[in-house]
Amino acid sequence: MTVTIKDVAERAGVAPSTVSRVLSDSTSISQKTKKRVRRVMEEMNYVPNYNARRLASRQSQTIGLVLPQASDAFYQNPFFPTVLRGITEAASTKEYGLMLSTGDTPERRKKHVEAMVQGKQVAGLIFLYANDNDPILEFIKSINFPAVVMGTPENGQLNAVDNDNFSVAKELTEVLIQGGCRKLAYVGGDSHQYFVQKRLAGFKAALQEADLPFYPEDVYNDLTFLPRDGYQLMEDLLEAKDYDGLIIADHLVARGVKKALEVFHKHQVMTGTFKSFAAEPNPQDHRHPYFNLNSQQLGRRAVQILFDVLEDQANGSTRYLYEIVEAELMK
Amino acid sequence: MTVTIKDVAERAGVAPSTVSRVLSDSTSISQKTKKRVRRVMEEMNYVPNYNARRLASRQSQTIGLVLPQASDAFYQNPFFPTVLRGITEAASTKEYGLMLSTGDTPERRKKHVEAMVQGKQVAGLIFLYANDNDPILEFIKSINFPAVVMGTPENGQLNAVDNDNFSVAKELTEVLIQGGCRKLAYVGGDSHQYFVQKRLAGFKAALQEADLPFYPEDVYNDLTFLPRDGYQLMEDLLEAKDYDGLIIADHLVARGVKKALEVFHKHQVMTGTFKSFAAEPNPQDHRHPYFNLNSQQLGRRAVQILFDVLEDQANGSTRYLYEIVEAELMK
DNA sequence: CTGAAAGCGCTTACAG
DNA sequence: CTGAAAGCGCTTACAG
């Protein structure tokens, strides 16, 4: 039924080991033999059995992608598909496969990652999130398995790619200040997420440099990163407070905020937010600048870093790679 | 280094084959033995090698996801992550793994799918798109490999899940007509995509039933499914034509359209569109009804259908499954 | 209910 | 430059 390396060998008049070497394009096989064997492979429509290959070679040529616990916010945010696009793109250049983690509970997620890792299904992992005290990440660190985290985890000792969240938020805040804003608020979200904290720090720094006061009560952090949160927050706030500028850590929240500003005719309020990709140039809207975080590039770089780590590992070297991806101010 | 079935067997005082049977929870092993072997597995932190398992059992327990040629529209549309969410959810209930197709050119994409299929990496495929004359899909049909398509391909002979695009568009058009619209346009997109055609048919049918005339020039089809397309189209059209209702096949295009309607103060124009999930109840906006297509459910059902197909196949039965997922009108 | 043995389809020292 | 042979870590008839 299935054609194997043995069938090819027979037809080509060589040993199975030779066919195997042709398959991996070994330099120790003559061009002549390679050509002949390859022709036979074509003829017989041979495709190698990857399971056998992986078992024998102990190499999976596959990257495991670790998704966070499922939430509306994660799956509705363009970050995820955009990063994934960069990942598939980069993985395919080296002919690496991609495997998704699954599991609906923390336990099942961990179990599945263990099965991927210890079960020799993947050569390395990319985490599509960065929470502190994540049991899965802790486990991976403890066994020192090749992994790259998207984001900046609190304690180092691992490889990561991220934007410079501090600088990006600071710069954006400066834009609003230059635009005339004097009473600014920071609309965050889950303060356990590192990027929320970092962007807040950038926000503060900009205020300070501009000699504007910072009040903790102007930080709003109990949001689930969905548009409705931004909308509701504005509903509650707009009359009570008279902010003239808002730095919004999450793009979906910003969507809700802007909707509310429209509905309540607060056209003078400026906003600044962060997006995964450059939205099409809408009618010039100088009151709503944002940073394009270039999440696709983030995905590409994560893969590249993983490749580098894998190579380092093969060479016995151990170091941690941490890379910053440039963001672009759009105003 | 790695602990294998043999190590477990030794420590538990049984044969490797017994350990293997415990692993698959075979009924022919006594509870007593199972308990003992399992304890040893725990103790030794045993995780099976999936490559060996798949090679020996000829079962991959993995689903391959076939993505379309990369495009902004695909990766920016919430359809993709939403469907994926449903897929991961359903796959995890049966402990199936998920593998993503990659490749930047049509040739490389096809090669990779071949490697997944013939290389025994996946038990079945889910296509996250439905184009006619897709070489990959043709290939899969030709070898009769288990697969489910999301969408309704022109020629049958395969398994599929889809919304009822005709009815959904018809009903939505009726809503606009009841809302007072008399001069309607259909904003489509790539007319090679089946759902664009189907929704157009529904649009037409509603006009006809309401005794409203249909003019082919009121159909706009040269769009790439991005917000900017919708925006530009409106820019070009709004003055020339005086539509009072728009049925928009794609949600992102609709976003651009609505933006334009706002900017140009055309608040009287109604729109109707289709979304992958229920957006949060914004301020009641009766002029912009939409259908929630429930794409997450689409993903879940695709997986279930694939499981059914796999089972049918094991039983020697051959039939094609085609399922419609309910959509919900939001107005 | 359990074990011994063959086999899944490759890769890779080792020998020549 | 090529081949024979052992081995990767499982599963699964077959026999008892």
Side-chain angles (χ1 to χ4, degrees):
Chain A
M1 186 64 232
T2 340
V3 15
T4 73
I5 223 175
K6 238 174 120 183
D7 304 320
V8 174
E10 202 163 333
R11 178 101 89 104
V14 295
S17 48
T18 300
V19 177
S20 172
R21 292 192 181 98
V22 172
L23 213 50
S24 54
D25 202 19
S26 158
T27 51
S28 69
I29 300 289
S30 71
Q31 285 307 320
K32 211 177 123 204
T33 306
K34 278 189 185 173
K35 206 168 293 179
R36 182 151 45 91
V37 172
R38 287 202 179 112
R39 190 157 40 68
V40 175
M41 284 177 172
E42 282 284 322
E43 277 171 29
M44 305 184 76
N45 227 310
Y46 170 75
V47 178
N49 181 317
Y50 282 84
N51 300 314
R53 227 178 164 176
R54 288 175 183 144
L55 175 59
S57 72
R58 297 170 188 73
Q59 300 217 292
S60 70
Q61 292 256 108
T62 301
I63 297 172
L65 303 182
V66 187
L67 309 183
Q69 182 79 41
S71 71
D72 288 351
F74 181 73
Y75 281 103
Q76 290 180 21
N77 200 304
F79 171 79
F80 172 47
T82 306
V83 145
L84 201 53
R85 181 176 184 177
I87 290 176
T88 55
E89 211 180 293
S92 92
T93 64
K94 287 228 182 185
E95 312 218 312
Y96 263 67
L98 252 22
M99 176 146 250
L100 288 176
S101 78
T102 63
D104 41 356
T105 65
E107 293 73 36
R108 296 167 84 88
R109 287 179 55 231
K110 178 141 184 280
K111 266 261 170 291
H112 188 212
V113 171
E114 282 177 18
M116 292 202 288
V117 168
Q118 323 261 46
K120 317 285 190 220
Q121 303 192 70
V122 298
L125 295 175
I126 296 179
F127 284 75
L128 273 67
Y129 62 96
N131 293 344
D132 288 328
N133 298 320
D134 181 60
I136 300 182
L137 187 55
E138 290 309 315
F139 163 66
I140 291 304
K141 283 167 70 170
S142 76
I143 62 170
N144 201 24
F145 190 76
V148 179
V149 172
M150 315 210 81
T152 307
E154 202 150 71
N155 33 19
Q157 303 280 72
L158 38 76
N159 310 288
V161 240
D162 202 356
N163 299 109
D164 183 346
N165 284 304
F166 175 86
S167 304
V168 134
K170 179 159 178 274
E171 205 175 318
L172 195 57
T173 308
E174 286 165 2
V175 170
L176 294 213
I177 294 173
Q178 277 158 28
C181 298
R182 288 299 172 268
K183 195 155 185 321
L184 293 130
Y186 177 78
V187 180
D190 179 1
S191 61
H192 288 87
Q193 297 216 34
Y194 206 65
F195 75 89
V196 172
Q197 299 169 30
K198 276 295 190 184
R199 290 180 193 167
L200 173 57
F203 171 75
K204 277 191 204 173
L207 291 189
Q208 190 168 14
E209 277 190 16
D211 282 324
L212 290 172
F214 166 78
Y215 304 108
E217 59 265 35
D218 295 333
V219 173
Y220 299 92
N221 255 339
D222 283 313
L223 313 167
T224 55
F225 290 131
L226 286 174
R228 103 170 64 108
D229 297 306
Y231 191 89
Q232 281 177 1
L233 186 68
M234 287 303 106
E235 244 177 354
D236 298 347
L237 238 59
L238 275 175
E239 297 312 319
K241 307 274 192 166
D242 54 336
Y243 295 121
D244 54 10
L246 303 163
I247 294 294
I248 307 157
D250 180 77
H251 165 217
L252 288 184
V253 173
R255 203 126 88 195
V257 166
K258 285 189 222 164
K259 182 81 188 171
L261 292 178
E262 246 164 44
V263 170
F264 300 112
H265 302 292
K266 297 281 186 182
H267 299 293
Q268 73 287 5
V269 179
M270 286 185 79
T271 68
T273 191
F274 311 88
K275 300 189 185 182
S276 297
F277 53 83
E280 25 284 325
N282 255 345
Q284 292 311 323
D285 205 348
H286 297 296
R287 305 205 71 80
H288 302 292
Y290 68 93
F291 261 98
N292 165 16
L293 297 177
N294 233 325
S295 303
Q296 188 175 348
Q297 179 66 3
L298 216 62
R300 279 192 216 103
R301 296 308 304 165
V303 172
Q304 187 54 55
I305 289 176
L306 189 55
F307 287 153
D308 292 345
V309 169
L310 258 20
E311 202 171 320
D312 278 4
Q313 183 192 247
N315 301 331
S317 133
T318 322
R319 48 174 186 167
Y320 294 104
L321 303 176
Y322 176 52
E323 184 171 319
I324 295 296
V325 165
E326 286 302 316
E328 188 186 1
L329 179 61
M330 316 289 283
K331 59 175 181 178
Chain B
M1 187 64 232
T2 341
V3 15
T4 72
I5 223 174
K6 236 174 121 187
D7 304 319
V8 175
E10 203 164 333
R11 178 102 89 108
V14 296
S17 47
T18 300
V19 177
S20 172
R21 290 192 182 99
V22 173
L23 214 50
S24 54
D25 202 20
S26 158
T27 52
S28 69
I29 300 288
S30 72
Q31 286 305 321
K32 209 177 123 204
T33 306
K34 277 190 186 173
K35 206 168 291 179
R36 182 152 45 92
V37 171
R38 285 199 180 116
R39 190 157 41 68
V40 175
M41 284 176 171
E42 282 284 323
E43 276 172 28
M44 306 186 75
N45 227 309
Y46 170 75
V47 178
N49 181 317
Y50 283 84
N51 300 312
R53 227 177 164 177
R54 288 174 183 144
L55 175 59
S57 71
R58 298 170 187 72
Q59 299 216 298
S60 69
Q61 290 256 108
T62 300
I63 297 173
L65 303 182
V66 187
L67 309 182
Q69 181 79 42
S71 70
D72 288 351
F74 180 73
Y75 280 102
Q76 290 181 20
N77 200 304
F79 170 79
F80 172 48
T82 306
V83 145
L84 200 53
R85 181 176 184 176
I87 290 175
T88 55
E89 210 180 294
S92 93
T93 65
K94 287 230 182 184
E95 311 218 312
Y96 263 66
L98 253 21
M99 176 147 250
L100 288 176
S101 79
T102 64
D104 41 356
T105 65
E107 293 73 36
R108 296 168 84 88
R109 288 179 54 231
K110 179 140 182 281
K111 266 264 170 289
H112 188 213
V113 171
E114 282 177 19
M116 291 202 290
V117 169
Q118 324 260 46
K120 318 284 191 222
Q121 303 192 68
V122 297
L125 294 174
I126 296 179
F127 284 75
L128 272 68
Y129 62 97
N131 293 343
D132 288 328
N133 300 320
D134 181 61
I136 299 181
L137 188 55
E138 291 308 316
F139 163 67
I140 291 304
K141 283 168 68 170
S142 76
I143 62 170
N144 201 23
F145 191 77
V148 179
V149 171
M150 316 213 80
T152 308
E154 201 150 72
N155 33 18
Q157 305 279 74
L158 38 78
N159 311 288
V161 239
D162 203 356
N163 300 108
D164 183 347
N165 284 304
F166 175 87
S167 304
V168 134
K170 179 159 177 277
E171 205 174 316
L172 194 57
T173 308
E174 285 164 4
V175 171
L176 294 213
I177 294 171
Q178 278 157 28
C181 298
R182 288 299 171 269
K183 194 152 186 320
L184 294 131
Y186 178 78
V187 180
D190 179 2
S191 60
H192 288 88
Q193 296 216 36
Y194 206 65
F195 74 90
V196 172
Q197 300 169 29
K198 275 296 189 184
R199 290 180 192 166
L200 173 57
F203 172 75
K204 277 191 204 174
L207 290 189
Q208 192 168 13
E209 277 191 15
D211 282 325
L212 289 173
F214 168 77
Y215 304 107
E217 60 265 35
D218 295 334
V219 173
Y220 299 91
N221 255 339
D222 284 314
L223 313 168
T224 54
F225 289 130
L226 286 175
R228 105 171 63 109
D229 297 306
Y231 191 89
Q232 280 177 2
L233 185 68
M234 286 304 106
E235 243 177 356
D236 298 347
L237 238 60
L238 275 176
E239 296 313 316
K241 308 273 193 169
D242 55 336
Y243 296 120
D244 55 10
L246 303 163
I247 293 294
I248 306 157
D250 179 77
H251 164 217
L252 288 185
V253 173
R255 202 126 90 194
V257 166
K258 285 188 221 163
K259 181 81 188 172
L261 293 178
E262 245 165 44
V263 170
F264 300 112
H265 302 292
K266 297 282 187 181
H267 300 293
Q268 74 286 6
V269 179
M270 285 184 79
T271 69
T273 191
F274 311 89
K275 300 189 186 184
S276 297
F277 53 85
E280 25 284 325
N282 255 344
Q284 293 310 324
D285 204 348
H286 297 296
R287 307 205 70 82
H288 302 292
Y290 68 93
F291 261 100
N292 166 15
L293 297 178
N294 233 324
S295 304
Q296 190 176 349
Q297 179 66 3
L298 215 62
R300 279 193 216 101
R301 297 308 303 165
V303 171
Q304 188 53 55
I305 289 177
L306 189 55
F307 287 153
D308 292 346
V309 169
L310 258 20
E311 202 171 321
D312 279 5
Q313 183 193 247
N315 300 331
S317 133
T318 321
R319 50 177 185 163
Y320 294 103
L321 303 176
Y322 176 52
E323 183 170 320
I324 294 296
V325 166
E326 286 302 316
E328 188 187 0
L329 179 61
M330 315 288 284
K331 58 176 181 177

